Amino acid sequence: MKKIITLGILILVSILLTGCTSYKGYWCNYDESSTIVILFTHDHKDKDRERVEAKIADFENVQSSNYYAREDYAESIGDINENDIYDAYVISFDSMDNIGTYIEELSEMSGIEKVEQGSAKNDISIYNLKSFGKYTYTNSDEATENELETGKYKIKKGIITFTPDNEDGETKILYTKDGQLCGDAACNKIYARSNATCSSE
């Protein structure tokens, strides 16, 4: 009889552990915005920059645009040789709409060395579900170990509750659905398996 009870307890513990460990690892969610980086030629004129600024003002879905002078950048990194550094504009967009067209238009303007498309991650959220109900959380893909929120998590009826070790920390909730982690019950915000830098596995 004792063997049957012991075996039953072992099976129950195994099921419980399997349910929790299937979600072990890094899970990430973020919004992605497109960027255009404009590099000016070293001999560009003020009028070239003014034309570019006027062109940017006509673009749709611009989230932000920032100008960076090469002298300031060279000074900030301690590089006296500025030959490989350019005056630049970095434009962030809310969507990918018309990005190709914008790049073509900017590339044809005078005083432009190069125009490149990039992307940036915004509103990052990274959970690392560990063994024994422990987790770490960060909202940065460049966080150091000391910057991580730590705590404990519990999975019950498809809801994961994260309780931080810091008493001032905020309890967070994620939902489980079809092997995924979700930011809401309807699973409109999906967390994908990733790594510590929010890149694909």
Side-chain angles (χ1 to χ4, degrees):
M1 185 71 172
K2 284 183 180 179
K3 287 183 180 179
I4 293 173
I5 292 171
T6 304
L7 183 61
I9 291 171
L10 287 173
I11 291 170
L12 180 61
V13 168
S14 174
I15 290 169
L16 289 172
L17 287 176
T18 303
C20 292
T21 57
S22 64
Y23 293 103
K24 268 180 59 178
Y26 288 97
W27 295 85
C28 178
N29 180 276
Y30 61 88
D31 295 328
E32 191 168 26
S33 62
S34 290
T35 59
I36 291 178
V37 178
I38 305 166
L39 302 180
F40 290 89
T41 59
H42 290 317
D43 61 351
H44 75 278
K45 307 290 188 280
D46 288 342
K47 286 185 178 181
D48 296 327
R49 180 179 161 188
E50 290 168 9
R51 288 188 193 104
V52 167
E53 289 172 347
K55 177 67 74 175
I56 293 170
D58 288 338
F59 291 162
E60 296 177 5
N61 303 320
V62 173
Q63 192 173 39
S64 66
S65 63
N66 297 295
Y67 176 77
Y68 301 94
R70 68 187 183 125
E71 294 86 1
D72 295 339
Y73 181 66
E75 185 179 323
S76 71
I77 63 172
D79 189 349
I80 298 170
N81 181 6
E82 298 174 14
N83 290 333
D84 296 331
I85 302 172
Y86 298 87
D87 291 342
Y89 251 110
V90 178
I91 315 164
S92 295
F93 296 87
D94 291 330
S95 73
M96 296 281 290
D97 297 346
N98 304 315
I99 295 291
T101 303
Y102 297 157
I103 290 173
E104 284 180 25
E105 291 175 0
L106 290 164
S107 298
E108 294 170 0
M109 298 181 76
S110 62
I112 302 297
E113 178 75 20
K114 187 189 291 187
V115 181
E116 295 179 327
Q117 179 180 349
S119 62
K121 295 175 184 171
N122 306 304
D123 298 324
I124 297 170
S125 178
I126 308 172
Y127 287 89
N128 181 13
L129 278 61
K130 301 180 174 184
S131 299
F132 307 110
K134 295 185 177 182
Y135 79 93
T136 62
Y137 168 80
T138 181
N139 58 5
S140 169
D141 57 354
E142 297 177 351
T144 64
E145 196 70 28
N146 295 333
E147 297 171 325
L148 298 175
E149 173 186 295
T150 60
K152 295 179 181 175
Y153 71 92
K154 290 182 181 177
I155 302 177
K156 188 175 182 181
K157 295 184 179 179
I159 298 173
I160 307 178
T161 305
F162 297 90
T163 307
D165 292 334
N166 182 351
E167 291 180 4
D168 297 332
E170 184 180 324
T171 300
K172 300 176 185 67
I173 292 175
L174 290 182
Y175 300 83
T176 64
K177 186 175 182 180
D178 301 327
Q180 293 288 332
L181 294 190
C182 309
D184 55 13
C187 213
N188 294 316
K189 182 178 181 180
I190 297 174
Y191 282 74
R193 283 199 178 271
S194 66
N195 57 27
T197 59
C198 212
S199 304
S200 299
E201 283 192 314

